[in-house]
Amino acid sequence: MGITLAELARLVQGRVRGESGFMVERANSLERAGPRDIAFVAGAYYLNRLAESRAGAVILAEADAMRFSRNAVVVENPQLAFARVCAYLHPSVAPKPGAHHSAVLDPSARIAASATVGPMTVVGAGAVIGDSAWIGPGCVIGSNAVIGERTRLVARVVVQNDCVIGCDCLLHPGAAIGVDGFGFARDGSRWIKQPQLGRVVVGDNVEIGANTAIDRGTFGDTVIGNGVKLDNLIHIAHNVRIGDDTAIAACVGIAGSTVIGKRCTIAGQAGIIDHVEIADDVHITGASVVTNSLTQPGVYSSSLRAEPAARWRRNIARLYQLDELARRLRRLERRLQQLTKE
Amino acid sequence: MGITLAELARLVQGRVRGESGFMVERANSLERAGPRDIAFVAGAYYLNRLAESRAGAVILAEADAMRFSRNAVVVENPQLAFARVCAYLHPSVAPKPGAHHSAVLDPSARIAASATVGPMTVVGAGAVIGDSAWIGPGCVIGSNAVIGERTRLVARVVVQNDCVIGCDCLLHPGAAIGVDGFGFARDGSRWIKQPQLGRVVVGDNVEIGANTAIDRGTFGDTVIGNGVKLDNLIHIAHNVRIGDDTAIAACVGIAGSTVIGKRCTIAGQAGIIDHVEIADDVHITGASVVTNSLTQPGVYSSSLRAEPAARWRRNIARLYQLDELARRLRRLERRLQQLTKE
Amino acid sequence: MGITLAELARLVQGRVRGESGFMVERANSLERAGPRDIAFVAGAYYLNRLAESRAGAVILAEADAMRFSRNAVVVENPQLAFARVCAYLHPSVAPKPGAHHSAVLDPSARIAASATVGPMTVVGAGAVIGDSAWIGPGCVIGSNAVIGERTRLVARVVVQNDCVIGCDCLLHPGAAIGVDGFGFARDGSRWIKQPQLGRVVVGDNVEIGANTAIDRGTFGDTVIGNGVKLDNLIHIAHNVRIGDDTAIAACVGIAGSTVIGKRCTIAGQAGIIDHVEIADDVHITGASVVTNSLTQPGVYSSSLRAEPAARWRRNIARLYQLDELARRLRRLERRLQQLTKE
């Protein structure tokens, strides 16, 4: 498989600099690219590596175009153009449509003729699998669940009963969608389960990482908006709503009934408490803990930074005396004031 | 399916206010409830929403009974009564008893006639599946493992060899019970595996969340007490013991050989170090880290709160100078004392 | 199964103290050991429990040899010797070689005659399963993946296409190897997927815990060195490289392209940011967050310690005023200096 630079430029609405007929075979990183590979350049990190690259062609911005004398495609957003080129040159191809003979399909499930159902997968009663959907091996699709067109479940994904996954989604191994939320009533010291009767509704173009768990709503729905990207090992509790195009990195936990806006980014290991609202365009730094609603866009943080342990211990010991230190400071200020008044 | 208010009141030991013969069809949240639905009210959050609710009936406490003029059931603990009503109106019904033809059952496994074994499930040699247990699709039950009566494994749960799950438990997708603990001896710079020969023993009425992992004991047992509730993505290391009715929220990690008391609550993303003891009735706030034994009941915390990042960075920069600040404060105090003595 | 003390001493290059012909049947902990069991002693914790132990024999160091009057094997490193004895007395035995009839094997896969493939496992086109490898039930081995000799996948493990697992590895349930990394380009407010075309390459003697996820490289490889030990619920992002013999405890997250040295230890719930380098022999304490490269070996920390919540809140409230407190301190110092100059 290959593509000429001219065709490639058309694909990404760019402009060729060099040989239009140059044939590109693969996309690759600047460090690994060979003479038939195309790479991309965006920012100082890449520019520093450009001279040593053996790439046959690169994608870069107008501002950097003079930095590379060989074949190039000049575009506005090189990273974006490159992602598109990668997808073109290295498509993930579904196996032939149809269900593997080992799959267990309830007779009442409606599975599109163009869909693929892998080995060892179980599809429950009334489930719907859309056109060109690709359900990999070892998945479990619950009764009346809906999987949208062109959505792929890589392997061993569980989508529980009544949950809805939109079109063009990608769910990675171990993802569990539609888990019972963690809801209990107290009966003295015992916990009595509050049945979890709602669903998970996932929009279009959503990616859900490996071993990420999304709880179903208690009565209503847990909602994952269009274009949301969820990394691995994330916990989304019941009744949470996540706005369109929000991206959440690995190991994040979001507690029950919290509402997150659009276009937010939440970095790895961050946590958000239950029943709060996060505005659109909020960015949470890694390992930060959000304990109240954030009504304004912006960057929020409560993360620390590892130091040599001896030094850290010395400083942190004072943290546990901080209120006392602050009181002593106040006292000093008062005494000094008295002193200078006298 | 429906129930009259009179029957419903009997079920929850409450008192009808309004039409005893009013027929309730579903349980629902106050916001979503329609004219044939019953909802519940407990606390200001719900009271504020009560006027606008279209619920046909509500469950509420005596103190709030005057706040709602339509049909109601008055009880002592509305949340608890409501959980019971939900379970009654929306039972989760197991499929027919028996094993799916695709399941692989070792001939020496003892599977109760009233138990259900789903498609693609594997049951090992000598395993025991109790009366009315419901093993969903894609599960793996190891050799000599025991699954108690009426326990449900939703889907894709692994219970490894020799582990014991009590009665009336609920295990969610991806839960892994009986994993080897993380035990190694050093041989120079190499790690040599310490075989993990113990079991996991889970009591009755335990819930275990999606993708939660529980390690087997090194020699003895990792023990999860009766009534314990574990949320998603929790790690329980080898030899840990968790007391009855303790509830642990998502993303918590508990290190090896730690003992946790009864009726504790551990909020999301908290961590507890190895080899410590936590007393009964201890409550740990979200994202807190416990690094020593806690011998007294009470609430413990080490969690921070995300702030606008610029402000946070300013404050936190001082944290890394805190020991020096404290010393400067001490010095000032001494000098001022000398000054006033002179 | 049993072994005489003399044979056992030979196995661990130790010296018998007592009856050479004493027959040991099992390895056990000091607390649980009976008269036919062997336990080990290393450090004060164990020495305190030695007097009450009913162990028939113990493994201990020369320095402690006088503390136990019954049968013993004296070695240099008791914990290491004991791990070896456990493995000898309690081997994990693979079922008979061959593939279970329910497994789905692509005809082009090359599976060693001495390998075992469990029920419900799927092996893709061109995959290679090495000699004496043991693939448990419910696993998915992607196309062209390679599983080394004597490696065991316990159950329900996914190794995606093209990934390579070395020899003598142990992968626990739910582990997902070769997941797409979390890479996207921005197109206005939308995220466009950067295809993830690399692999995961895992060395020899690696252990990977339950529900741990390892992303494939974007173009190159995510590399897990020889002898690396990964606990449960760990996230390893794309392009990460982990040096030989590094051990990482549960719930740790490591962001993209970060390089970790050899012989490091990273305690539970720690997090490491993307694109940093961690030197050899670095030790990170539990729940610490690493936000920059660490070029020197040593212990690093940013972890806190849970306190009674009221006290914690009082101190932490001051943390949010810390910059102001530091400025007030500076002001005081200046005024006092002026005062004493006057």
Side-chain angles (χ1 to χ4, degrees), chain B residues 200-219:
Chain B
V200 175
V201 176
V202 172
D204 299 333
N205 287 301
V206 170
E207 188 157 341
I208 300 178
N211 293 334
T212 281
I214 307 182
D215 289 346
R216 59 197 316 122
T218 310
F219 294 104

Side-chain angles (χ1 to χ4, degrees), chain C residues 36-323:
Chain C
R36 283 288 155 202
D37 294 356
I38 189 160
F40 85 106
V41 173
Y45 177 89
Y46 294 88
L47 286 169
N48 291 338
R49 280 149 182 81
L50 187 52
E52 287 179 12
S53 177
R54 299 188 308 119
V58 299
I59 298 178
L60 37 57
E62 190 66 59
D64 299 327
M66 291 301 103
R67 311 278 292 263
F68 191 70
S69 57
R70 281 171 284 157
N71 295 311
V73 173
V74 180
V75 298
E76 218 170 294
N77 182 341
Q79 194 179 3
L80 173 61
F82 185 66
R84 295 218 158 102
V85 168
C86 284
Y88 179 85
L89 288 171
H90 307 277
S92 68
V93 184
K96 283 184 308 204
H100 191 270
H101 65 79
S102 67
V104 172
L105 314 174
D106 190 278
S108 67
R110 284 178 293 146
I111 300 172
S114 57
T116 300
V117 178
M120 307 302 175
T121 280
V122 178
V123 180
V128 177
I129 314 281
D131 275 321
S132 301
W134 174 9
I135 314 299
C139 294
V140 176
I141 312 293
S143 56
N144 302 309
V146 176
I147 309 294
E149 300 172 10
R150 295 172 304 283
T151 280
R152 179 180 178 197
L153 278 53
V154 171
R156 236 188 50 198
V157 172
V158 174
V159 178
Q160 291 190 228
N161 58 300
D162 303 307
C163 293
V164 177
I165 312 291
C167 299
D168 299 297
C169 293
L170 179 56
L171 279 68
H172 292 289
I177 314 300
V179 182
D180 276 5
F182 201 62
F184 302 93
R186 297 217 80 144
D187 182 12
S189 66
R190 292 170 57 220
W191 298 102
I192 304 299
K193 183 178 181 69
Q194 165 61 51
Q196 302 291 312
L197 305 169
R199 306 178 300 170
V200 176
V201 176
V202 173
D204 299 332
N205 287 301
V206 170
E207 189 158 340
I208 300 178
N211 293 333
T212 281
I214 306 182
D215 288 346
R216 62 198 313 122
T218 308
F219 293 104
D221 298 330
T222 301
V223 179
I224 312 295
N226 295 317
V228 167
K229 308 297 175 188
L230 303 177
D231 201 350
N232 301 332
L233 291 160
I234 291 172
H235 164 73
I236 310 274
H238 51 185
N239 311 315
V240 165
R241 305 176 78 91
I242 301 182
D244 293 353
D245 299 315
T246 281
I248 304 184
C251 305
V252 165
I254 300 180
S257 299
T258 279
V259 177
I260 297 178
K262 297 177 179 176
R263 298 175 302 276
C264 295
T265 59
I266 303 180
Q269 290 189 327
I272 306 186
I273 207 175
D274 60 293
H275 287 92
V276 298
E277 290 197 30
I278 309 297
D280 296 343
D281 301 299
V282 161
H283 307 284
I284 314 279
T285 68
S288 296
V289 177
V290 177
T291 60
N292 45 273
S293 289
L294 301 174
T295 58
Q296 299 301 318
V299 183
Y300 295 83
S301 186
S302 68
S303 53
L304 302 171
R305 170 188 89 221
E307 298 260 293
R311 200 199 305 166
W312 172 259
R313 272 196 303 268
R314 247 190 339 264
N315 284 314
I316 217 65
R318 301 298 190 174
L319 178 63
Y320 296 100
Q321 312 161 352
L322 200 50
D323 187 51

Side-chain angles (χ1 to χ4, degrees), chain B residues 37-183:
Chain B
D37 295 355
I38 189 160
F40 85 105
V41 173
Y45 178 90
Y46 295 88
L47 286 169
N48 291 339
R49 280 150 181 81
L50 188 51
E52 287 178 13
S53 177
R54 300 189 307 120
V58 298
I59 299 178
L60 37 57
E62 190 65 59
D64 299 327
M66 290 301 102
R67 311 278 292 264
F68 192 69
S69 57
R70 281 172 285 157
N71 294 312
V73 173
V74 180
V75 298
E76 217 170 295
N77 182 341
Q79 193 179 3
L80 174 60
F82 185 66
R84 295 220 158 102
V85 167
C86 284
Y88 178 86
L89 288 171
H90 307 276
S92 67
V93 184
K96 282 183 311 201
H100 191 270
H101 65 81
S102 68
V104 172
L105 314 175
D106 190 277
S108 67
R110 283 179 292 143
I111 300 172
S114 56
T116 300
V117 178
M120 306 302 175
T121 280
V122 179
V123 181
V128 177
I129 313 282
D131 274 322
S132 300
W134 176 9
I135 314 299
C139 294
V140 176
I141 312 293
S143 56
N144 302 308
V146 176
I147 309 294
E149 300 172 11
R150 295 173 304 281
T151 281
R152 179 181 178 197
L153 278 54
V154 171
R156 237 188 49 198
V157 172
V158 175
V159 178
Q160 292 190 228
N161 58 300
D162 303 307
C163 294
V164 177
I165 311 292
C167 300
D168 299 296
C169 294
L170 178 56
L171 279 68
H172 293 288
I177 315 299
V179 182
D180 275 4
F182 201 60

Side-chain angles (χ1 to χ4, degrees), chain A residues 66-154:
Chain A
M66 290 302 104
R67 311 279 289 264
F68 191 70
S69 57
R70 282 172 284 157
N71 294 312
V73 173
V74 180
V75 298
E76 218 170 295
N77 182 342
Q79 192 178 4
L80 174 60
F82 186 66
R84 294 221 158 101
V85 168
C86 284
Y88 178 86
L89 288 171
H90 307 276
S92 67
V93 184
K96 283 184 309 204
H100 190 270
H101 65 80
S102 67
V104 172
L105 314 174
D106 190 277
S108 67
R110 283 179 293 147
I111 300 172
S114 57
T116 301
V117 178
M120 307 301 175
T121 280
V122 178
V123 180
V128 177
I129 313 283
D131 275 320
S132 301
W134 175 8
I135 314 299
C139 294
V140 177
I141 312 294
S143 56
N144 302 309
V146 176
I147 309 294
E149 299 171 12
R150 295 173 304 282
T151 282
R152 179 181 179 197
L153 278 53
V154 172

